[in-house]
Structures are given as C-alpha cells and as structure tokens.
Amino acid sequence: MTGKATKGSLKKWMGLALTMVMGVSLLAGCSSASNQESEGSASGNGERVTLKVEVFDRGNSPSPYTITNNYLSKLIQERFGDPNNIDIQFVPIQRSEEVTKLNVLMASNTDVPDIVFVYDSSVFYRYAEQGGLTDVGELIDQYGPNLKKFLGEDTLKFGQLEGQQFAVPGKRAITGRYSSYIRQDWLDKLGLPVPKTTDELYTTLKAFKEKDPGGLGSKNIPMGMALAPAQFETLIYSFIKPISGDLTYAQRYELPLHEGFKDAMKFMNKLYNEGLISKDFSLDEDKAQLVKDVQNGNIGYWSEDVDAIFYADGTLDNLLKNTQGSKVLPIDAYTNANVDNKHIKSRYGSNGMYIMIPKSSKRSVEAIKYLDWMASENNLIDIYSGVEGENYDLVDGIPVVKEDASQEAKDRLFNAGDTAIISNGKNIGDQATNEKAWVMGFPQNNQEMLKQSIDIANTDTVGPIIFDKPIQAEMKYSTALKDKLNVIIVKTAMAKPEEFETVYEREMNDFMSLGGTELKKELDQAVQELAAK
C-alpha cells in the first residue's frame, strides 16, 4: 500500500470517530517489526504457534457442541493443525454484529484474529486503504498453489486494490440469481400461451385480472410483488442498459443511474394503477406476504430467488397442497428493448466473502497455508458434506445428502457453511457440476423444475464490473441511497399516472442530491479509466 493512498483515505475518513481510532491502530500494524515477525514464522523453527480464525456465531450450536469446540473444529485441528504444529483457535463473532465487532477487534490491533472476513466490499476497501491488511499476493504464490487454482484469476481480482492482493475472496459456487414463475393451470383455463416477451406478459396479466381463472375475487393478484430485490430487480433489469457489454454497476442502489431506469418505473406504475401487482407490496420487505399469497394460490405470476420455492415443505409444496389442480411453470418472459430484446437479468459476481489477514498478524504464512489446505484434496467436501455413508452418499461422484441421516450426523455440520470460508455454496467442480450437486439436495419431485429455473437464471445475465480501486462515494453515501431507492420505487409506482413525471423527477433529484451526483461522476471516471487500460 503506498503512502499516498493511505493518506488520501485517512483524510476521507477523519470525520468518523470510530474510523479515526481504527486508522491509528491499523496503520500502527504497518511497522517493519510486524513484517519481520511474519517472515520469521515461515522459517520453520519448530515452535508450536496459535492461528486465530474468525467464525460466525449464529447462536445455533446443538448440544454438546459449541461454536468453538465441535466436530469441524476438531477435524481441522487433527488434519491441519497438528501436522503443522499449529493450534487453531476459533474466535466467535455474532453474525448480526459482524462489522461492528470486527471494527473493534481491528482497532485493538492485538486481539484481532489472524483470519477475518466480511461480505461488505466497502469495509474491505476501508481496511485496505488504511494500511490495516497484509498484501497476500506473494504469500499465495509461495504457500497457496491449491488456493490459487481453486479461486482462479477472475475471482482473485475481487480482493485486489490498485494491483495488490489485500483479500482472498471466497468463491461463489453458483452465480444464477433469479427466475420467474407462472400458474400453468391459469393459462390452461383461459387457453393462453406461455408469455415470452414483456408485452405478452402484460397481456396475460390483464387477462388474469379480468377473467379471474382462479375464481379468487378480491384475493386475485395477477403478479406478485414485494419490496425485495428478487421481485423489483427482475423487472428493472429488463429495462436498463448495461454499462459495458454484459457488465454493470455492482451495487443495487446504483440502478437509478442507468439508462432505462425511468422506463422500468413507468411500467411498474402502469401495473400498479391497473391493479395487476400486489397492492400492499411496499409493506412487504421480507416477502412474507408474497410467500403467503403464492402458497394460498392467489398469485398468477411472480419472480423469486432461483431456489426459494423448491425446499421441502416450502412455497411450491404448500401451493400444490393448498390449491387443488395448481400447476407452476418456470418462465423467462421479461425482454429488454435496450439489449436486442434479450432476457436480461443480474447474476452474482464469482466472489463470496472477503477473507483478510490483518497487517498486525504474525501468522500470515500459517493463515495462507490453512486456506490452501482447505482448497486441497477432499477437505472442502468433508467440511461441507461430513462423513460418507452417514451424512451423504456419492452419486456419480457427487455427495448427496442422506434423507435418513441421523440427528447426530446432521448436528456435526451445523456450522459447515461458516467454516468453509473459501467457498460460498458447495464447490464440487465447475459451475455445471455445482448446480447438479445443488439440485440433488432438493426433494426429488421439485428437482426437474429447479433445473429449469437455474437455466433461466443463467440466461442473458449481467454481472458486476470489477474496479481495481474502491468507489469512495459508495462508502460515503450507500446507506442513504439504499433507503432512497426503495422510496423511489414505492412513490413512483403508487403515483397517479398523470403525476408520474412530477413524482419521478422530484424523487430522482432528491436521490442525486443525497450523493447520486457524486457517485455517478466517480463511476463514470472509473469506467473510463478501466476502459483505457
């Protein structure tokens, strides 16, 4: 990290009391003594050392386990710790207080674990800019060949800042996000074809409302909507123009900066005023009402996270049980006129969490060795899947969860996802293999439909641009702009048609004044700089 970058970032954060404290402590960790101690740990002097590793505590440890003493902690100690003369000490952090607690630990400089992680990119960038993180590029080259191969160059880029590798990004197993569904029995009753474009979908929704194929009366909801990403993002992405090729801005609250966003809001306003979407969607941020309405058979069409409806005794199972004769079909109806009428939708980046080694750590070598061990042989599968024959059976080389696994076997994996930090989801092989393994973990009756949903989720996707430096305006204005996006969606949707232009202009002016103008300027510059490289 250059002195220039560090000074610049500190100036930007001087207004925040906690960050000032952190800045002093983090930068104190940049001493040459710290680096020398880290180098000394790699010399192999035979001394037994302790490696401290953060772990999320969700308060769900089954007896007799604790979050720091359980089946997986013992497995890791036996397989990695003991052979390498290392004591593994897990440091619990409550999931709900992840960033707050980590800020305190990072500021302490002495109590912070050797391996920490966050999902929030702005927190990672802040730590890196303040000089609080170890550059692990050379360490990965030297001690992490399996880790490097597992992650790949594209995923590693998510952890880089101005060419330096300040984080090891977890690798996401599956990047598909959303699919949409329609009541096939409603179409059949009305003699309608499956809609394949946005215009055809609108015509279908009108028919659902006017002809009420479910005989629901006032409970009839042609299109389910909630104030949640899986619902409004699918609609918005079908109108906006990506920034470059199949790439666009990473943050959801940056959607209003796209060409086509206004058209999306205008279409949503039309749907709302014609009574085609859930009337009280603005009150349903957790999707609880949407799920209830789907399960009760009240909704004709809706969008959702690709896997959400397929779990045992979940949304789909309950719908089929509650509504006799109901049939559901995954469809890809939204088409984007700005992109050759493709079925544009967002995909996840290939990264999961940001795994970091604080600059103050004396165990950076051991930390990379630990992550490399996790990426080698069958260790990741054993952490995620447990014991063959007890937790899973191998089917075509894929570990499939045993439906009749004992409670004892199930309990041993209660924290598997939080322990396998280099992997977001079960990474068995390439994405196609990961998807196959994922599908095989769902009830057999739902697997074929889930396959169709995954295919839709992977069609015509747009992913996040990876900048090689943080967007300062994102860190500065993210909270205000996140809240404002929801306000824009609600107010423009509910405005009377003749008042839409006025409401939209007012809310967007407010969005820009809350930081949108500065954010757009910085993003435009970052895109230009990236294109020039």
Side-chain angles (χ1 to χ4, degrees):
M1 172 66 71
T2 64
K4 181 179 180 181
T6 302
K7 290 177 182 177
S9 63
L10 283 175
K11 287 179 181 178
K12 293 176 183 292
W13 290 91
M14 282 300 230
L16 299 175
L18 175 60
T19 309
M20 286 200 301
V21 175
M22 286 180 57
V24 174
S25 299
L26 290 173
L27 291 172
C30 292
S31 67
S32 59
S34 174
N35 292 334
Q36 289 169 2
E37 286 169 332
S38 179
E39 291 170 3
S41 67
S43 63
N45 56 19
E47 176 188 356
R48 193 170 183 89
V49 299
T50 298
L51 178 68
K52 297 180 180 180
V53 181
E54 176 187 349
V55 64
F56 282 148
D57 185 357
R58 300 179 187 270
N60 62 339
S61 305
S63 180
Y65 298 132
T66 68
I67 194 61
T68 58
N69 184 10
N70 50 69
Y71 171 82
L72 291 179
S73 68
K74 292 176 180 177
L75 179 149
I76 290 168
Q77 183 60 51
E78 291 172 3
R79 291 196 190 177
F80 172 75
D82 292 343
N84 290 286
N85 213 21
I86 300 171
D87 289 322
I88 308 297
Q89 179 182 335
F90 286 98
V91 180
I93 292 182
Q94 286 189 348
R95 179 67 175 97
S96 59
E97 300 177 2
E98 167 198 359
V99 174
T100 303
K101 178 64 174 176
L102 186 56
N103 282 344
V104 174
L105 289 174
M106 289 290 284
S108 75
N109 207 33
T110 54
D111 296 331
V112 63
D114 302 294
I115 295 178
V116 298
F117 43 77
V118 291
Y119 280 105
D120 192 328
S121 61
S122 65
V123 176
F124 154 60
Y125 282 133
R126 173 154 50 90
Y127 291 160
E129 283 197 306
Q130 291 175 337
L133 301 178
T134 300
D135 181 348
V136 296
E138 292 184 6
L139 291 172
I140 293 175
D141 288 339
Q142 189 171 355
Y143 301 105
N146 299 297
L147 179 64
K148 190 171 185 177
K149 181 179 179 181
F150 171 75
L151 295 175
E153 293 296 334
D154 288 344
T155 299
L156 280 168
K157 287 179 182 177
F158 282 93
Q160 295 173 3
L161 176 64
E162 296 180 351
Q164 293 178 279
Q165 191 78 45
F166 285 112
V168 176
K171 183 178 181 180
R172 189 177 290 277
I174 293 169
T175 58
R177 299 189 74 171
Y178 305 130
S179 184
S180 299
Y181 309 92
I182 199 163
R183 287 283 297 276
Q184 177 70 63
D185 54 312
W186 285 19
L187 292 176
D188 294 343
K189 191 167 185 178
L190 299 180
L192 294 174
V194 176
K196 296 181 179 179
T197 68
T198 302
D199 288 343
E200 290 178 6
L201 175 63
Y202 171 73
T203 300
T204 301
L205 295 177
K206 291 280 286 184
F208 283 174
K209 177 177 175 58
E210 294 166 1
K211 299 181 181 179
D212 191 13
L216 297 165
S218 62
K219 295 181 179 179
N220 177 24
I221 304 172
M223 173 176 164
M225 178 59 65
L227 192 58
Q231 285 71 54
F232 67 70
E233 266 198 20
T234 48
L235 186 152
I236 293 173
Y237 266 80
S238 70
F239 283 88
I240 65 170
K241 184 177 180 180
I243 300 302
S244 175
D246 68 342
L247 297 175
T248 196
Y249 300 139
Q251 306 300 334
R252 183 170 295 118
Y253 53 81
E254 290 162 349
L255 286 171
L257 302 179
H258 288 80
E259 179 183 337
F261 177 75
K262 181 179 180 180
D263 294 329
M265 295 298 94
K266 198 164 189 175
F267 182 63
M268 197 167 175
N269 173 269
K270 182 179 182 180
L271 296 177
Y272 184 84
N273 278 282
E274 293 182 11
L276 301 181
I277 62 176
S278 306
K279 182 180 179 181
D280 296 322
F281 80 91
S282 63
L283 305 176
D284 193 20
E285 292 189 52
D286 62 359
K287 301 190 288 190
Q289 187 60 49
L290 174 76
V291 170
K292 182 178 179 181
D293 284 329
V294 171
Q295 293 183 154
N296 288 336
N298 298 336
I299 291 178
Y301 169 86
W302 74 101
S303 300
E304 188 49 285
D305 296 301
V306 64
D307 60 328
I309 73 170
F310 298 106
Y311 291 90
D313 300 319
T315 304
L316 179 60
D317 288 353
N318 286 328
L319 167 62
L320 299 179
K321 180 175 64 177
N322 294 337
T323 306
Q324 186 176 6
S326 57
K327 297 178 182 178
V328 173
L329 179 70
I331 68 169
D332 203 4
Y334 286 129
T335 43
N336 190 318
N338 280 314
V339 195
D340 301 325
N341 287 317
K342 290 184 177 181
H343 301 282
I344 298 298
K345 61 188 73 70
S346 66
R347 66 173 180 267
Y348 287 112
S350 63
N351 67 310
M353 61 173 58
Y354 297 85
I355 306 166
M356 305 164 288
I357 302 174
K359 189 72 174 182
S360 59
S361 172
K362 302 175 184 178
R363 301 289 166 239
S364 58
V365 170
E366 289 83 358
I368 294 299
K369 285 183 175 180
Y370 171 61
L371 299 177
D372 187 74
W373 168 84
M374 193 178 292
S376 62
E377 300 178 346
N378 289 325
N379 294 319
L380 194 57
I381 290 177
D382 290 346
I383 291 172
Y384 254 121
S385 300
V387 180
E388 184 179 358
E390 296 181 22
N391 291 97
Y392 70 92
D393 292 319
L394 275 179
V395 180
D396 297 331
I398 293 174
V400 179
V401 176
K402 289 178 68 69
E403 293 184 6
D404 60 350
S406 67
Q407 191 61 47
E408 180 183 359
K410 294 177 182 177
D411 286 349
R412 66 166 62 118
L413 300 178
F414 79 95
N415 60 333
D418 290 333
T419 302
I421 54 177
I422 63 171
S423 178
N424 188 303
K426 294 184 179 181
N427 273 287
I428 309 298
D430 59 17
Q431 178 150 311
T433 305
N434 295 339
E435 290 171 350
K436 184 177 180 181
W438 194 34
V439 169
M440 292 172 76
F442 283 79
Q444 190 168 358
N445 289 342
N446 296 342
Q447 289 182 12
E448 185 56 40
M449 198 181 298
L450 175 55
K451 290 178 187 177
Q452 298 173 37
S453 294
I454 292 173
D455 287 342
I456 289 171
N458 288 333
T459 300
D460 297 341
T461 59
V462 174
I465 299 173
I466 307 173
F467 295 114
D468 60 357
K469 63 179 182 180
I471 304 300
Q472 299 294 341
E474 287 181 347
M475 295 185 281
K476 189 174 180 181
Y477 302 113
S478 61
T479 300
L481 295 181
K482 285 176 186 175
D483 293 340
K484 189 60 189 179
L485 172 61
N486 283 357
V487 172
I488 293 173
I489 291 171
V490 171
K491 289 194 174 182
T492 57
M494 294 184 173
K496 295 178 180 179
E498 63 271 17
E499 296 175 357
F500 172 82
E501 292 290 340
T502 300
V503 172
Y504 180 83
E505 184 176 353
R506 182 183 69 232
E507 298 305 324
M508 278 300 297
N509 285 340
D510 195 26
F511 178 89
M512 300 306 284
S513 68
L514 287 170
T517 299
E518 189 173 330
L519 176 61
K520 185 178 187 307
K521 181 179 179 181
E522 190 175 353
L523 285 169
D524 288 346
Q525 182 177 347
V527 169
Q528 292 174 9
E529 291 175 356
L530 203 60
K533 291 183 179 180

